[in-house]
Amino acid sequence: MIARRRRWWSPALLAASVGLLGGCEGQILDAAKPGGGPGGGPGGTNNPPAAVEQPARTVRVARLTHSQWVSSAQELLRLASAPTALAQTFRADPSQSGFLFDNDARSLSVDEALWGAYQRAAADLAGQVATDATKLGKLLPPGTNTDEARAKAFVESFGLRAHRRPLTADEVESYLVLYRKGPASYSTMAPFQAGLRLVLEGFLQSPLFLYRVERSTEAKDGKVPLDAYEVASRLSYALWDSMPDDALFTAAREGTLTTREGVAAQARRMIQDARARDVVGAYHSVVFDVPRYASIRPSTTRFPTVTAKLSTSAAKENALFVDSVVFKRGGRFQDLLTSRDTFVDDELARVYGLSGTFTADFVPVTLDATQRRGVLTQVGFLASHATSVDPDPIHRGVFLSEHLLCQKIGAPPANIPALPAPNGRTNREVVTSHTEAPGTVCASCHATLINPLGFPFENFDAVGGFRTTDNGHAVDATSSPGIGGQKVAVKDALDLSDVLANSQAVHECYARHWVEFLSGRPAATEDTALVSRLGKLSQAGQLSIVDLVVEVVTGVGFVNRHPEELP
């Protein structure tokens, strides 16, 4: 398996690592018995009705994403800075078609190129730590006498964190074998440091570090409860994108993660951490398609007062807005769609038409109630779904359909001609004539699904500025989009934002995205009951965004596995 570097695996360690690096299969070859985990919630059978909340099928061996590897390596080694440069040598992971996020465990495998990069990174990091007394001192437990005793204490304490569970006696001995071989491998170093260097390389190359391995196999009421350490890992990688901290390991050891209340208490503690703020920001960045903001390139002829920093200003506004709603205001999903309170710099203030003096620093403002309401009327969404000169109701509508209503729009036919010149017509008239001609292949999607969701935003130009006329004509922003299975008449984007904010279908879509993101897999039939329950509670205003996240990670599907792999 390790062709180009020293083979550090002993047979016992190799066997203990079950499955090695062939994560495509998602199988464990040598599963241990579980230590017990939370299995609360409704009971069931192997095929319970859809209304019962239950775990969905997923892999048992989930490889760390590259960002998770970076954060885990930093936390594990207690480094002052993240080893981001090393991760930049990792080959990029493929995106999974139809899945918004980059953490789909089904697509995260290890090939020869990535394995080689893991080996080099492990050797680099181990060398950094073992040759630096200060760094190594942060990892060594106190109170041991002989070097062998110190090495064993190190393997046990460090191994708990590296494998994210206590090591077995055989695993401890396997790493001590590596320790004893260290002086021969690094003859220029002091024997103790040389031994620990090889041990560190072993831990950092172990599949039990590179993968999140769930070994529990004992079914109960049609579910396989995860043991406490597996729950701790699911929590930490869901909410922090990193390994558990000492408090989570303590909770696992003391058994407080075996109840819903115990998991909820840890989740709420973790959400107050800066790492959770980053994760929540990353989730909303994907859901609101913030990476697309980088494509904002308005015509300097049409919009001479807009500068090249519009795209970065818009992305910053979105990040500040989301963080404020979720963490400072304890807000709900409705607030993201309807709040007029946001943050602007001088660039955005000009687009919003705000009076007063603004600088490059962002400051809080409240936007005009007759023009703005929520994230969909902010510059980022509007300008990123526009051409360089005109609004783009087609892509605005597609975004709403796919990201807010979870309605997938099929790929358009090939060789579609570009929109014709306006020739005195409004942007809406041009789009309508081009895409809704009766009998055409385009009309079936555009007339019913796409355009009705995009036309309410015609009051906003290509940079997100508010307008009442277009090409000399009054703007028509009225529409009747299909939302939640019903056509709803709206007069403009403000009206549409209110309708979306009060639609259970939209709230269910938002909850579904959270289930996918926190679980690292696409939504499944088994998630239907949970998504429906959370959608109803969110629509009724009974859940803040933080509450919704806690409901997901304390749910039956999060702390249990599907029993499909059992005999």
Side-chain angles (χ1 to χ4, degrees):
M1 193 83 185
I2 305 175
R4 288 171 292 195
R5 291 195 57 82
R6 177 175 46 255
R7 182 187 179 94
W8 56 266
W9 293 97
S10 70
L13 185 58
L14 189 65
S17 296
V18 295
L20 293 182
L21 293 171
C24 294
E25 297 300 322
Q27 298 291 326
I28 297 292
L29 302 179
D30 183 22
K33 290 184 179 181
T45 65
N46 284 344
N47 295 291
V52 175
E53 293 185 22
Q54 55 187 310
R57 295 163 179 81
T58 188
V59 300
R60 294 178 62 192
V61 183
R63 202 211 77 203
L64 301 184
T65 66
H66 295 339
S67 66
Q68 289 170 348
W69 181 92
V70 169
S71 57
S72 297
Q74 180 180 11
E75 292 293 327
L76 178 64
L77 298 172
R78 305 193 191 281
L79 300 175
S81 58
T84 306
L86 290 174
Q88 289 173 348
T89 68
F90 298 171
R91 62 109 173 98
D93 283 322
S95 59
Q96 192 72 17
S97 178
F99 191 67
L100 283 180
F101 307 102
D102 65 357
N103 63 344
D104 187 347
R106 302 172 305 166
S107 66
L108 299 176
S109 61
V110 177
D111 57 14
E112 185 176 358
L114 183 56
W115 174 231
Y118 279 151
Q119 290 177 287
R120 291 186 292 274
D124 186 301
L125 290 172
Q128 288 183 37
V129 173
T131 58
D132 186 316
T134 300
K135 291 179 179 178
L136 190 59
K138 294 179 180 179
L139 304 178
L140 286 173
T144 51
N145 298 320
T146 67
D147 282 353
E148 181 84 6
R150 293 173 69 199
K152 182 178 180 182
F154 171 79
V155 166
E156 291 173 338
S157 61
F158 189 82
L160 165 68
R161 300 174 61 243
H163 286 200
R164 298 177 285 274
R165 60 160 175 80
L167 271 60
T168 66
D170 285 345
E171 288 171 334
V172 171
E173 179 58 28
S174 296
Y175 280 107
L176 288 176
V177 169
L178 285 181
Y179 166 75
R180 295 168 194 137
K181 292 180 178 179
S185 299
Y186 295 106
S187 57
T188 60
M189 297 179 63
F192 181 69
Q193 284 79 7
L196 291 193
R197 180 172 182 172
L198 196 58
V199 168
L200 286 169
E201 284 191 52
F203 275 121
L204 291 170
Q205 292 180 67
S206 170
L208 298 171
F209 170 70
L210 298 172
Y211 285 80
R212 293 187 293 110
V213 179
E214 294 177 351
R215 309 189 305 169
S216 299
T217 58
E218 187 174 314
K220 180 181 180 181
D221 296 328
K223 303 179 290 291
V224 178
L226 300 177
D227 73 31
Y229 288 96
E230 291 165 353
V231 172
S233 282
R234 279 205 179 185
L235 276 176
S236 67
Y237 284 102
L239 299 179
W240 284 348
D241 211 34
S242 187
M243 61 174 285
D245 65 352
D246 291 341
L248 260 181
F249 282 127
T250 298
R253 184 181 69 250
E254 294 178 350
T256 59
L257 296 180
T258 59
T259 66
R260 183 183 179 93
E261 293 74 22
V263 175
Q266 285 297 320
R268 291 192 180 279
R269 173 187 72 85
M270 295 170 69
I271 288 173
Q272 301 308 310
D273 190 281
R275 287 169 288 186
R277 298 178 89 125
D278 291 340
V279 167
V280 169
Y283 163 86
H284 287 97
S285 177
V286 173
V287 171
F288 293 142
D289 205 8
V290 175
R292 186 185 177 104
Y293 292 10
S295 67
I296 297 174
R297 297 287 188 276
S299 165
T300 55
T301 302
R302 181 73 67 89
F303 304 101
T305 64
V306 172
T307 75
K309 77 171 187 175
L310 182 64
S311 61
T312 56
S313 293
K316 180 72 171 179
E317 177 192 14
N318 181 274
L320 292 171
F321 172 72
V322 168
D323 185 81
S324 177
V325 168
V326 176
F327 294 104
K328 295 180 181 177
R329 305 185 221 170
R332 305 164 299 163
F333 177 49
Q334 287 103 321
D335 298 317
L336 293 176
L337 297 180
T338 60
S339 175
R340 295 184 293 112
D341 296 326
T342 188
F343 300 83
V344 303
D345 61 356
D346 51 354
E347 183 77 13
L348 295 174
R350 285 193 296 271
V351 177
Y352 286 129
L354 300 177
S355 59
T357 301
F358 296 89
T359 68
D361 296 327
F362 279 78
V363 294
V365 296
T366 299
L367 301 178
D368 188 339
T370 65
Q371 299 179 4
R372 309 283 173 171
R373 191 162 304 159
V375 69
L376 297 178
T377 61
Q378 291 175 1
V379 164
F381 165 70
L382 298 165
S384 64
H385 294 84
T387 71
S388 63
V389 295
D390 287 311
D392 186 350
I394 296 173
H395 287 94
R396 289 173 178 179
V398 169
F399 169 86
L400 262 65
S401 180
E402 296 189 342
H403 286 240
L404 295 189
L405 288 164
C406 291
Q407 297 175 161
K408 185 68 178 175
I409 302 293
N415 302 318
I416 297 178
L419 289 173
N423 293 327
R425 296 176 296 173
T426 66
N427 185 61
R428 176 171 182 158
E429 290 170 336
V430 172
V431 171
T432 300
S433 66
H434 192 64
T435 63
E436 296 186 22
T440 64
V441 68
C442 298
S444 59
C445 282
H446 279 273
T448 59
L449 297 176
I450 300 173
N451 296 353
L453 287 168
F455 285 148
F457 298 95
E458 283 299 286
N459 278 122
F460 302 98
D461 62 25
V463 296
F466 188 79
R467 66 180 189 174
T468 57
T469 62
D470 175 19
N471 206 13
H473 303 281
V475 166
D476 178 9
T478 61
S479 185
S480 294
I483 299 174
Q486 295 183 335
K487 283 192 173 184
V488 182
V490 298
K491 62 179 183 294
D492 55 23
L494 304 185
D495 207 8
L496 177 61
S497 293
D498 284 340
V499 169
L500 293 171
N502 287 288
S503 166
Q504 184 175 322
V506 174
H507 285 265
E508 288 187 5
C509 182
Y510 181 72
R512 170 178 166 168
H513 289 323
W514 269 117
V515 170
E516 293 179 322
F517 179 72
L518 295 171
S519 303
R521 58 167 176 79
T525 302
E526 292 89 346
D527 299 311
T528 301
L530 173 63
V531 168
S532 177
R533 176 171 68 86
L534 296 182
K536 290 177 182 177
L537 292 172
S538 180
Q539 188 273 338
Q542 297 178 24
L543 290 178
S544 69
I545 293 171
V546 167
D547 291 336
L548 192 155
V549 170
V550 172
E551 285 294 315
V552 174
V553 300
T554 57
V556 172
F558 193 85
V559 298
N560 294 274
R561 280 197 305 100
H562 194 281
E564 67 174 351
E565 293 152 338
L566 302 183

